[in-house]
Structure formats: C-alpha cells, structure tokens
Amino acid sequence: MVARVTRVLPPNDVLVRNASVAATELIRNAIIEGRLEPGRRLKEEELARELGISRTPVREALLMLQAEDLVVASPNRGATVRVHDAKDLHDQYELRALLEGFAARRAAERITKEELELLSESCVRFDALRPDDDLRGVVRENLFFHNTILSVADSERLTALVRKVIELPLVYNSYRWYSADQMRISAHYHRQIVRALADADADRAELIMKEHLFEARDLLVAHVQAIRQSSAEQPA
C-alpha cells in the first residue's frame, strides 16, 4: 500500500479557498459573457451578497482576475472590468489570427473522420442560431468550433496561448453587433475551414482561419471606435 501524504488546511482556510475558486469562476464567466460589461465597477459587498459568500473570497477572486487582465484596480474607483481600446483589440485579433491559423494548419495534418463530423455538426447548429435570440448560444457554439480545432491541433502550449487572447474579444460580445449577413459570412467561413480540413489542405485551412478572424477583427474594432466616438460627442 502506498501512503498518501496530504497537507491538511484548517477548515476555515479550505472553505475560503474553495469559495475563492468558485467566485473567480463565476465572476470570470459573467465578464466574458458580457453580464459584467467593460468599465463596470465591481463592489465586493454587492458581489458577496449576490454570490452568498463573505467578502474575503470575493476579494481574492478579484485579485486573481487582475492577474488574468480581466479586472483592473485603481485608487479612486476600486476594481472595475478592464476596458480595452480599439488598438488593443486590433492587436489581440492579429495575434489570435496567427495562433489559430497555425492551429488550423496542424489540425489539417491530424484530424480524424469523427472530429470532422463534430465540426460539421457545429456548423449546422451555428447556422440555426441568431444573436438576438440566443447570444450566449452563439458565443458557446463559436467557442466549441474553435476549441475543437485547438484540441485537434494537439499542442498544450498553443492552446494556452490562444486562450490568453481569445477571452478579451468575448468581453465585448462581438456577436451582438452581427447582422444577418455577417452571421452568414461567419458561418460560411466555418464551413470553408471544415472543407479545407477534410481535404487535409493545411495551407488553405490556415489562410481561411486568418481571413475569418480578420473579418471579425474589423467589425469589432469599427464598433468599438464608433461607441467611443459617440461617447466623446455626448455632453458631460
């Protein structure tokens, strides 16, 4: 029998640590899904009340989210959801296109028939969704599609790098600005990527993935710029 050596934390510490992890996950999801929008103040007391926990794990959760660059703290305002400007978003999408383009290239060399079927089924589900009716559903299905390709690419380092840049655009819920035509364009890119993967065409898979993300980048950046301009023109 192999003896297991464990470090036993005091019960209160265990509870606080578990609560901190849970609070971090809940707040992170709310930020990524846009329920806590960019610029929103994050008050410890309010969050603790909503989550049904004490302020200590909430405080620890906010510190963890600062490390993830989703939350920023300032002396005057306290913790807020980080706001990124159009240049930040442009740079993030440039990096995302490079990384996910490479992931598509690797996936074209590795993908199985079963994995192609998963992506094809995702395309069908994505076609049926509309941001006005189910924004979270659109975001989840899009994540499923891109994360499946990452999984097929089979590189833990690549996956970790992509996930560091993929959450930022989701904070802005870019799909809420998609028209019906833009949704069709996005769905078309997904289908073309699957076709390139099915043909084991690594060059084409990489190229289409980059084009897909550059299209999304241009739409998101344009809307963020328009929002900032509109805010600047409003009287104080």
Side-chain angles (χ1 to χ4, degrees), residues 128-143:
L129 292 167
R130 295 293 176 270
D132 290 344
D133 300 327
D134 186 5
L135 179 60
R136 289 191 199 176
V138 172
V139 171
R140 280 196 298 266
E141 194 60 53
N142 185 64
L143 272 175

Side-chain angles (χ1 to χ4, degrees), residues 29-79:
N29 288 340
I31 292 173
I32 292 171
E33 293 177 359
R35 288 179 282 125
L36 292 173
E37 69 279 2
R40 172 79 170 269
R41 290 187 64 187
L42 301 173
K43 299 179 181 178
E44 292 178 10
E45 186 174 352
E46 289 182 2
L47 291 170
R49 185 168 58 249
E50 290 178 12
L51 296 174
I53 57 179
S54 69
R55 292 177 63 175
T56 299
V58 170
R59 187 178 303 115
E60 293 184 357
L62 294 178
L63 288 173
M64 293 175 68
L65 293 170
Q66 284 181 51
E68 295 178 16
D69 208 30
L70 289 174
V71 168
V72 62
S74 61
N76 297 326
R77 297 198 66 198

